[in-house]
Amino acid sequence: MNIFMVSSEAYPFSKTGGLGDIAGSFPLVLSSMKFGSSKINASLLIPLYKQNYKLISKKNIIAEFQIEYGKETIKTEIAKIKHPENDNVDIYFIKQDSMFKRNGIYSENGNDYPDNAGRFILFSKAVIKLIIHLYKEEKFKLDIVHIHDWQTALTALYIKEVYNEEKALENIKVIFTIHNLAYQGNFPTNIYPLLNISWKFFVHSRLEFYGYVSFIKAGIILSDIVTTVSPSYSLEIQREEFGCGMNNLLMDISYKLYGILNGVYDNSWNPKTDKHIKNNYDLNSIKNKMLIRNSLYKEFNFSNKNYPLVTMISRFDIQKGLDLIYQSFFELSSYNANFIFLFSKNNYLKDFEKDFIDRADRAKNIKVLFAFDESLAHRLTAGSDMYLMPSRFEPCGLNQIYSMKYGSLPIVHAVGGLKDTVINYNGNKSINKASGFSFNDYSIKSFVNTMDLAFDLYYNKKNVWDKLILNAMNKDYSLQKTVLEYVKLYKKLLVK
């Protein structure tokens, strides 16, 4: 079975969030599996961003295409390397300097690139060109293209309807994974000529969405299977509350819509082997968490060293429940606990960011940082006792899974993937399964009451607290399980 994983980002080459984690590690796990008696050949296709130019030289360039781009043609090259962690996984970089050799991935200095639509139109066209090239030059026949989020969704249109008479694309199956429906890739019609397709596709049943060109609709309508990153989210987005205007469409295609829970790649997130933490640990050496916490308290100049540490690592995005935290700073400041928030910037929320920091600075036990720091994220997860994730909505979430694996109990709003992964503690009847704390009503009262419960257990019921940590660390939310579910879908498609 030959599979192309197509994504706009993939760790360790590029990352802004959970998409990067999953797209980067998925092919590594997939390549270790089999389809019947034959192996699975999984490759990754991503743009070549500025930080990755050091990985390639002229010898890595395997093809060069002239790609139609409106009235222009743009030279685009394909570079190929072996994955640094696994020689069995090929990485194909789409190299186009004017489009992708920039300081950011989607934005710079707080502003989205104004040509993002064109950048990912070109990317999708290059993917198609590469598939055809490999078929003609190397007799390589692809079975499945697995695309992720709006940036790659046009690939489905080009495979299924624009170039569907190409021999190389014949019988290729397309799976489209929605990581966050809130990001749809909807653009004004002035970008339409860049697609180099007939206006017959600008209809409600294809690309048109309230007068805009919707990239994500191409993926939803034309892919053979559509997946989301948790079972609960796949149901939620068929309702108006979470459907972002797409709920009716998603109800219509529910026969091919599946929710598969994301998982953790053990090589990247594992307290026993994590290269980012000095004192590795497991359940038998969990006291090492205290050493990591003490190191963080020294680094951040906390005076109360015996207090528990509560962390949050997130985009600075209203989706993540920032309003609940902002309005709860008085309660947070009154707890016998220390808080560290690590956010990546959102320059659309500059005024709120300033207010957020100003309010946090009034408390001695709260620290707020704005930086993308992978190493610090690992250390905060490892050193914390509790992890906050009160999201308004959450397609899956990975940080609550990381936190449980590291023995940090999550406090979450019971939606989407948070509902599917965190089993709420609600007394002795849940003691053998509970792995954290959740609240149903998105309100300050519910959030604070849940934190009150967590701190009461931490300080007054150590045996219960320790049991919850044991439960959490024993949960198996591995990427291996996720990929196995996808392999079942791949088989289903190919048997058809």
Side-chain angles (χ1 to χ4, degrees):
M1 186 197 298
N2 295 320
I3 298 175
F4 273 0
M5 193 72 49
V6 185
S7 178
S8 58
E9 60 180 80
Y11 185 79
F13 310 104
S14 48
K15 175 185 169 179
T16 63
L19 167 61
D21 279 333
I22 294 298
S25 52
F26 198 111
L28 297 174
V29 177
L30 191 57
S31 67
S32 68
M33 297 183 177
K34 287 193 173 185
F35 180 65
S37 59
S38 60
K39 62 172 287 192
I40 296 176
N41 176 33
S43 302
L44 176 64
L45 281 65
I46 51 176
L48 182 68
Y49 296 116
K50 187 175 181 179
Q51 66 267 32
N52 296 136
Y53 272 67
K54 62 190 175 186
L55 300 176
I56 68 163
S57 62
K58 284 185 177 180
K59 69 179 182 180
N60 299 112
I61 304 297
I62 64 161
E64 178 184 306
F65 307 126
Q66 294 294 333
I67 296 180
E68 278 189 291
Y69 185 74
K71 294 181 179 179
E72 302 177 65
T73 57
I74 295 182
K75 187 179 89 168
T76 304
E77 297 173 308
I78 307 294
K80 179 183 177 183
I81 66 169
K82 296 292 184 183
H83 196 290
E85 287 187 40
N86 188 335
D87 280 349
N88 294 321
V89 176
D90 291 326
I91 311 298
Y92 292 95
F93 290 113
I94 309 300
K95 181 180 182 293
Q96 213 301 311
D97 294 1
S98 66
M99 294 286 185
F100 302 117
K101 194 179 183 182
R102 304 180 183 182
N103 292 329
I105 293 178
Y106 312 116
S107 61
E108 197 171 327
N109 299 322
N111 298 304
D112 285 349
Y113 292 123
D115 61 345
N116 270 345
R119 296 170 74 219
F120 292 105
I121 287 171
L122 183 93
F123 176 62
S124 297
K125 290 179 178 180
V127 169
I128 302 302
K129 287 275 192 180
L130 176 59
I131 295 170
I132 295 171
H133 169 81
L134 292 175
Y135 179 76
K136 289 180 177 178
E137 300 299 323
E138 301 182 17
K139 306 296 184 230
F140 178 82
K141 187 68 175 77
L142 196 59
D143 296 301
I144 288 173
V145 175
H146 190 157
I147 56 179
H148 297 263
D149 273 356
W150 72 262
Q151 295 91 342
T152 66
L154 288 174
T155 309
L157 174 70
Y158 287 122
I159 288 174
K160 295 293 186 179
E161 296 201 338
V162 180
Y163 299 109
N164 56 327
E165 293 184 4
E166 284 280 349
K167 195 75 174 170
L169 304 178
E170 196 176 82
N171 297 322
I172 285 181
K173 303 300 182 184
V174 180
I175 289 189
F176 178 48
T177 297
I178 300 169
H179 292 259
N180 191 335
L181 187 63
Y183 301 98
Q184 299 182 349
N186 299 327
F187 297 97
T189 53
N190 62 357
I191 63 95
Y192 200 86
L194 299 178
L195 294 164
N196 297 101
I197 60 174
S198 166
W199 280 92
K200 73 179 183 181
F201 296 111
F202 190 64
V203 291
H204 181 68
S205 61
R206 288 298 180 266
L207 300 180
E208 190 273 334
F209 184 65
Y210 294 101
Y212 285 82
V213 183
S214 179
F215 287 28
I216 202 170
K217 276 189 79 172
I220 292 171
I221 292 170
L222 293 167
S223 295
D224 296 286
I225 280 179
V226 179
T227 67
T228 67
V229 289
S230 71
S232 286
Y233 191 61
S234 70
L235 299 174
E236 289 172 351
I237 58 177
Q238 295 179 59
R239 306 201 312 259
E240 187 174 354
E241 181 185 0
F242 296 104
C244 303
M246 297 276 179
N247 48 294
N248 288 332
L249 170 60
L250 290 160
M251 286 176 65
D252 289 343
I253 62 98
S254 60
Y255 65 92
K256 64 174 184 178
L257 178 62
Y258 297 81
I260 297 179
L261 190 68
N262 272 349
V264 176
Y265 184 47
D266 206 48
N267 288 25
S268 298
W269 287 89
N270 186 339
K272 289 171 66 175
T273 57
D274 194 327
K275 62 186 178 184
H276 296 289
I277 59 177
K278 186 176 180 181
N279 306 99
N280 293 106
Y281 63 91
D282 58 17
L283 271 169
N284 295 319
S285 53
I286 198 166
K287 288 184 178 179
N288 280 354
K289 276 180 72 72
M290 187 75 72
L291 300 176
I292 301 166
R293 190 178 82 182
N294 290 345
S295 175
L296 288 166
Y297 280 179
K298 183 177 180 181
E299 182 178 343
F300 287 94
N301 297 314
F302 282 116
S303 56
N304 297 302
K305 299 289 192 296
N306 294 321
Y307 283 179
L309 174 62
V310 185
T311 62
M312 180 176 179
I313 303 152
S314 169
R315 299 191 318 275
F316 193 70
D317 191 314
I318 296 300
Q319 174 205 331
K320 298 298 183 178
L322 299 182
D323 54 331
L324 290 187
I325 292 165
Y326 177 79
Q327 295 175 66
S328 304
F329 271 137
F330 174 77
E331 286 81 3
L332 268 59
S333 67
S334 67
Y335 287 123
N336 292 331
N338 294 316
F339 296 81
I340 301 176
F341 297 93
L342 177 63
F343 296 118
S344 56
K345 278 186 173 292
N346 181 340
N347 285 278
Y348 296 111
L349 299 174
K350 273 188 173 297
D351 291 339
F352 182 46
E353 177 185 315
K354 184 179 183 304
D355 289 344
F356 195 95
I357 293 172
D358 287 346
R359 184 171 284 197
D361 283 347
R362 296 173 197 156
K364 293 181 179 179
N365 64 332
I366 300 173
K367 307 287 184 183
V368 179
L369 294 89
F370 285 86
F372 176 76
D373 189 327
E374 186 76 15
S375 180
L376 179 57
H378 282 250
R379 290 189 291 125
L380 289 176
T381 304
S384 64
D385 300 283
M386 302 174 215
Y387 184 84
L388 297 184
M389 206 162 175
S391 305
R392 284 177 175 269
F393 67 93
E394 194 61 62
C396 176
L398 287 172
N399 284 303
Q400 85 281 8
I401 299 176
Y402 299 155
S403 72
M404 287 188 286
K405 192 174 180 70
Y406 281 64
S408 173
L409 298 184
I411 298 171
V412 306
H413 179 212
V415 289
L418 302 176
K419 181 179 180 181
D420 291 338
T421 53
V422 179
I423 300 174
N424 182 45
Y425 172 78
N426 60 357
N428 286 336
K429 63 181 180 181
S430 65
I431 190 68
N432 290 320
K433 293 184 178 180
S435 57
F437 309 91
S438 64
F439 55 96
N440 293 313
D441 296 327
Y442 189 81
S443 67
I444 303 299
K445 182 179 179 181
S446 294
F447 178 49
V448 171
N449 285 346
T450 305
M451 287 197 295
D452 287 345
L453 170 62
F455 283 114
D456 178 57
L457 291 186
Y458 179 87
Y459 278 110
N460 301 316
K461 297 181 180 178
K462 190 175 186 306
N463 60 323
V464 174
W465 187 263
D466 290 344
K467 174 59 176 168
L468 297 190
I469 290 176
L470 176 69
N471 295 345
M473 293 184 74
N474 278 327
K475 294 292 178 189
D476 181 12
Y477 296 120
S478 68
L479 189 59
Q480 187 88 6
K481 291 175 71 173
T482 303
V483 175
L484 280 171
E485 290 303 308
Y486 273 100
V487 170
K488 290 177 185 176
L489 291 185
Y490 296 160
K491 289 178 179 178
K492 182 176 182 176
L493 280 180
L494 295 182
V495 168
K496 278 187 179 179

